[in-house]
Amino acid sequence: MNDPKHPYSPAVVAGGLVFVSGSLPVRADGTVVTGGRAAMDAAVDSLRERMAHVGATLDDVVKLTYFVTDIGLRDAANEQFLDLWPEPRPARTVVGVAELPYGCEVELDAVARVPVTS
């Protein structure tokens, strides 16, 4: 990626795993989505897009980390997590942070298995 503002790969495959760069609730036009669950859903949309670059989907996620600027968003994270991942769910962590890029209230970080192709 030749973007000095974002000098990273959206997702990298290594050792049978997919490491997905932090996904923010920012639309393609630069609009930041706010509002708890709405922001988390937009961050998941970004996560899906990044994973698609390597042929992975949410079903391939084995570890998910929510970074939130308000630990009170943990309830919304729990709700979203239950809605999106059936048993057995990925391992998951919620981390409270002071600040995120662009004033976002949530950022998602994921590790997934490499999708099996037939």
Side-chain angles (χ1 to χ4, degrees), residues 26-116:
V26 179
R27 294 190 179 114
D29 67 1
T31 304
V32 174
V33 179
T34 60
R37 177 64 190 260
M40 289 182 186
D41 288 343
V44 164
D45 290 343
S46 175
L47 179 67
R48 273 191 192 102
E49 183 179 307
R50 288 168 184 241
M51 293 178 70
H53 285 241
V54 294
T57 70
L58 293 181
D59 292 338
D60 300 307
V61 173
V62 296
K63 174 69 169 94
L64 185 70
T65 304
Y66 287 82
F67 296 94
V68 294
T69 57
D70 176 355
I71 202 67
L73 292 171
R74 185 174 184 272
D75 290 339
N78 287 341
E79 177 185 293
Q80 180 190 57
F81 194 69
L82 290 171
D83 287 347
L84 294 177
W85 282 278
E87 291 284 349
R89 291 183 181 86
R92 192 205 71 181
T93 304
V94 178
V95 179
V97 298
E99 187 176 15
L100 290 167
Y102 309 109
C104 292
E105 58 192 297
V106 64
E107 182 171 7
L108 300 179
D109 179 73
V111 177
R113 62 181 165 260
V114 172
V116 177

